[in-house]
Amino acid sequence: MPTASQDATGTHPQATTPVDPNAIDTPIPDEAFGATLSIARPPRMSASGTGFDIVLQVANTGTSALYGAGAKQVNIGVQILGDNDDVEASGGVRDFMRAGLPHLPQGAQSDVVVTVPADQRLDGRKLRLALVQEHVRWHDDTPEKRIDLGPFRICGSQVCDAAGQPLPN
């Protein structure tokens, strides 16, 4: 039996999280999904020194909102490209990491900081950044829908460019 501070389901009303009205809980149809990605600021060492930051500009060119909240949220997915720049080849990692998107209604754009950890799996490899609708699909099927960066090197505790020079702070 619920106590005086619980509702009929036995939960504390003040403990419930408000529902985000912009959350994406259903798949976005391909014809409604559109975005362009561009580099707003090239890679730089993160303030913590444990990785590097890429500032990516995301512009919503589709008719559906994009947002990193909900059961079918849209995020920036980061992949490590394997041999021959193929994520499925040796050394590739499809689900390396994610960065959430702010709410982007149709026509909106935003700069998003993607902080990539200094991981040994990056050594000598390129990264691919693309949008992914979780549990639905990656939107990386054409060069216009993705950004490839690198290769990167791990130089001690720092991340370096292909020539072995540490990324700027």
PDB file of all heavy atoms in Angstrom, residues 74-90:
ATOM      1  N   VAL A  74      19.226  11.362 -31.867  1.00  0.00           N
ATOM      2  CA  VAL A  74      20.234  11.557 -32.901  1.00  0.00           C
ATOM      3  C   VAL A  74      21.478  12.152 -32.246  1.00  0.00           C
ATOM      4  O   VAL A  74      21.388  13.150 -31.527  1.00  0.00           O
ATOM      5  CB  VAL A  74      19.719  12.486 -34.019  1.00  0.00           C
ATOM      6  CG1 VAL A  74      20.801  12.713 -35.080  1.00  0.00           C
ATOM      7  CG2 VAL A  74      18.456  11.918 -34.649  1.00  0.00           C
ATOM      8  N   ASN A  75      22.618  11.502 -32.474  1.00  0.00           N
ATOM      9  CA  ASN A  75      23.887  11.936 -31.893  1.00  0.00           C
ATOM     10  C   ASN A  75      24.954  12.007 -32.968  1.00  0.00           C
ATOM     11  O   ASN A  75      24.780  11.490 -34.069  1.00  0.00           O
ATOM     12  CB  ASN A  75      24.350  10.939 -30.818  1.00  0.00           C
ATOM     13  CG  ASN A  75      23.433  10.926 -29.624  1.00  0.00           C
ATOM     14  OD1 ASN A  75      23.154  11.953 -29.031  1.00  0.00           O
ATOM     15  ND2 ASN A  75      22.938   9.748 -29.271  1.00  0.00           N
ATOM     16  N   ILE A  76      26.076  12.617 -32.621  1.00  0.00           N
ATOM     17  CA  ILE A  76      27.253  12.539 -33.466  1.00  0.00           C
ATOM     18  C   ILE A  76      27.967  11.257 -33.074  1.00  0.00           C
ATOM     19  O   ILE A  76      28.340  11.075 -31.913  1.00  0.00           O
ATOM     20  CB  ILE A  76      28.179  13.750 -33.262  1.00  0.00           C
ATOM     21  CG1 ILE A  76      27.458  15.034 -33.656  1.00  0.00           C
ATOM     22  CG2 ILE A  76      29.482  13.565 -34.064  1.00  0.00           C
ATOM     23  CD1 ILE A  76      28.187  16.301 -33.253  1.00  0.00           C
ATOM     24  N   GLY A  77      28.106  10.379 -34.028  1.00  0.00           N
ATOM     25  CA  GLY A  77      28.816   9.132 -33.800  1.00  0.00           C
ATOM     26  C   GLY A  77      30.245   9.271 -34.295  1.00  0.00           C
ATOM     27  O   GLY A  77      30.498   9.868 -35.336  1.00  0.00           O
ATOM     28  N   VAL A  78      31.176   8.723 -33.531  1.00  0.00           N
ATOM     29  CA  VAL A  78      32.587   8.765 -33.909  1.00  0.00           C
ATOM     30  C   VAL A  78      33.051   7.323 -34.099  1.00  0.00           C
ATOM     31  O   VAL A  78      32.859   6.480 -33.225  1.00  0.00           O
ATOM     32  CB  VAL A  78      33.442   9.478 -32.839  1.00  0.00           C
ATOM     33  CG1 VAL A  78      34.905   9.518 -33.257  1.00  0.00           C
ATOM     34  CG2 VAL A  78      32.914  10.890 -32.578  1.00  0.00           C
ATOM     35  N   GLN A  79      33.643   7.088 -35.260  1.00  0.00           N
ATOM     36  CA  GLN A  79      34.154   5.765 -35.610  1.00  0.00           C
ATOM     37  C   GLN A  79      35.664   5.860 -35.824  1.00  0.00           C
ATOM     38  O   GLN A  79      36.164   6.906 -36.247  1.00  0.00           O
ATOM     39  CB  GLN A  79      33.521   5.271 -36.919  1.00  0.00           C
ATOM     40  CG  GLN A  79      32.019   5.250 -36.906  1.00  0.00           C
ATOM     41  CD  GLN A  79      31.434   4.985 -38.286  1.00  0.00           C
ATOM     42  OE1 GLN A  79      32.132   4.941 -39.283  1.00  0.00           O
ATOM     43  NE2 GLN A  79      30.119   4.812 -38.338  1.00  0.00           N
ATOM     44  N   ILE A  80      36.371   4.786 -35.540  1.00  0.00           N
ATOM     45  CA  ILE A  80      37.779   4.681 -35.908  1.00  0.00           C
ATOM     46  C   ILE A  80      37.818   3.866 -37.199  1.00  0.00           C
ATOM     47  O   ILE A  80      37.270   2.756 -37.256  1.00  0.00           O
ATOM     48  CB  ILE A  80      38.608   3.991 -34.809  1.00  0.00           C
ATOM     49  CG1 ILE A  80      38.557   4.801 -33.512  1.00  0.00           C
ATOM     50  CG2 ILE A  80      40.051   3.799 -35.287  1.00  0.00           C
ATOM     51  CD1 ILE A  80      39.244   4.126 -32.334  1.00  0.00           C
ATOM     52  N   LEU A  81      38.436   4.442 -38.230  1.00  0.00           N
ATOM     53  CA  LEU A  81      38.515   3.737 -39.502  1.00  0.00           C
ATOM     54  C   LEU A  81      39.664   2.739 -39.474  1.00  0.00           C
ATOM     55  O   LEU A  81      40.765   3.055 -39.022  1.00  0.00           O
ATOM     56  CB  LEU A  81      38.706   4.731 -40.649  1.00  0.00           C
ATOM     57  CG  LEU A  81      37.564   5.730 -40.827  1.00  0.00           C
ATOM     58  CD1 LEU A  81      37.853   6.658 -41.995  1.00  0.00           C
ATOM     59  CD2 LEU A  81      36.232   5.013 -41.018  1.00  0.00           C
ATOM     60  N   GLY A  82      39.381   1.553 -39.952  1.00  0.00           N
ATOM     61  CA  GLY A  82      40.383   0.497 -39.996  1.00  0.00           C
ATOM     62  C   GLY A  82      41.182   0.559 -41.289  1.00  0.00           C
ATOM     63  O   GLY A  82      41.257   1.601 -41.958  1.00  0.00           O
ATOM     64  N   ASP A  83      41.755  -0.566 -41.644  1.00  0.00           N
ATOM     65  CA  ASP A  83      42.547  -0.657 -42.872  1.00  0.00           C
ATOM     66  C   ASP A  83      41.725  -0.177 -44.065  1.00  0.00           C
ATOM     67  O   ASP A  83      40.508  -0.391 -44.134  1.00  0.00           O
ATOM     68  CB  ASP A  83      43.000  -2.095 -43.100  1.00  0.00           C
ATOM     69  CG  ASP A  83      43.957  -2.584 -42.009  1.00  0.00           C
ATOM     70  OD1 ASP A  83      44.518  -1.736 -41.262  1.00  0.00           O
ATOM     71  OD2 ASP A  83      44.141  -3.804 -41.899  1.00  0.00           O
ATOM     72  N   ASN A  84      42.417   0.483 -45.003  1.00  0.00           N
ATOM     73  CA  ASN A  84      41.787   1.014 -46.219  1.00  0.00           C
ATOM     74  C   ASN A  84      40.625   1.956 -45.913  1.00  0.00           C
ATOM     75  O   ASN A  84      39.670   2.037 -46.677  1.00  0.00           O
ATOM     76  CB  ASN A  84      41.330  -0.122 -47.140  1.00  0.00           C
ATOM     77  CG  ASN A  84      42.471  -0.997 -47.582  1.00  0.00           C
ATOM     78  OD1 ASN A  84      43.539  -0.497 -47.953  1.00  0.00           O
ATOM     79  ND2 ASN A  84      42.279  -2.305 -47.509  1.00  0.00           N
ATOM     80  N   ASP A  85      40.698   2.643 -44.768  1.00  0.00           N
ATOM     81  CA  ASP A  85      39.660   3.599 -44.348  1.00  0.00           C
ATOM     82  C   ASP A  85      38.267   2.975 -44.309  1.00  0.00           C
ATOM     83  O   ASP A  85      37.264   3.616 -44.596  1.00  0.00           O
ATOM     84  CB  ASP A  85      39.660   4.844 -45.234  1.00  0.00           C
ATOM     85  CG  ASP A  85      40.927   5.660 -45.081  1.00  0.00           C
ATOM     86  OD1 ASP A  85      41.625   5.496 -44.055  1.00  0.00           O
ATOM     87  OD2 ASP A  85      41.224   6.473 -45.980  1.00  0.00           O
ATOM     88  N   ASP A  86      38.208   1.720 -43.902  1.00  0.00           N
ATOM     89  CA  ASP A  86      36.956   0.970 -43.807  1.00  0.00           C
ATOM     90  C   ASP A  86      36.703   0.654 -42.330  1.00  0.00           C
ATOM     91  O   ASP A  86      37.520   0.002 -41.687  1.00  0.00           O
ATOM     92  CB  ASP A  86      37.073  -0.317 -44.622  1.00  0.00           C
ATOM     93  CG  ASP A  86      35.806  -1.153 -44.616  1.00  0.00           C
ATOM     94  OD1 ASP A  86      34.852  -0.847 -43.860  1.00  0.00           O
ATOM     95  OD2 ASP A  86      35.767  -2.132 -45.372  1.00  0.00           O
ATOM     96  N   VAL A  87      35.576   1.099 -41.803  1.00  0.00           N
ATOM     97  CA  VAL A  87      35.266   0.882 -40.392  1.00  0.00           C
ATOM     98  C   VAL A  87      35.098  -0.595 -40.058  1.00  0.00           C
ATOM     99  O   VAL A  87      35.324  -1.013 -38.924  1.00  0.00           O
ATOM    100  CB  VAL A  87      34.039   1.713 -39.956  1.00  0.00           C
ATOM    101  CG1 VAL A  87      32.757   1.145 -40.527  1.00  0.00           C
ATOM    102  CG2 VAL A  87      33.947   1.821 -38.448  1.00  0.00           C
ATOM    103  N   GLU A  88      34.735  -1.403 -41.052  1.00  0.00           N
ATOM    104  CA  GLU A  88      34.540  -2.834 -40.812  1.00  0.00           C
ATOM    105  C   GLU A  88      35.841  -3.638 -40.917  1.00  0.00           C
ATOM    106  O   GLU A  88      35.867  -4.808 -40.563  1.00  0.00           O
ATOM    107  CB  GLU A  88      33.509  -3.395 -41.798  1.00  0.00           C
ATOM    108  CG  GLU A  88      32.140  -2.729 -41.720  1.00  0.00           C
ATOM    109  CD  GLU A  88      31.450  -2.866 -40.375  1.00  0.00           C
ATOM    110  OE1 GLU A  88      31.696  -3.850 -39.649  1.00  0.00           O
ATOM    111  OE2 GLU A  88      30.643  -1.970 -40.043  1.00  0.00           O
ATOM    112  N   ALA A  89      36.910  -3.018 -41.407  1.00  0.00           N
ATOM    113  CA  ALA A  89      38.184  -3.722 -41.596  1.00  0.00           C
ATOM    114  C   ALA A  89      38.967  -3.782 -40.284  1.00  0.00           C
ATOM    115  O   ALA A  89      38.598  -3.166 -39.272  1.00  0.00           O
ATOM    116  CB  ALA A  89      39.008  -3.014 -42.671  1.00  0.00           C
ATOM    117  N   SER A  90      40.074  -4.507 -40.317  1.00  0.00           N
ATOM    118  CA  SER A  90      40.943  -4.650 -39.144  1.00  0.00           C
ATOM    119  C   SER A  90      41.337  -3.283 -38.594  1.00  0.00           C
ATOM    120  O   SER A  90      41.740  -2.395 -39.345  1.00  0.00           O
ATOM    121  CB  SER A  90      42.197  -5.435 -39.553  1.00  0.00           C
ATOM    122  OG  SER A  90      43.077  -5.531 -38.454  1.00  0.00           O
TER     123      SER A  90
END
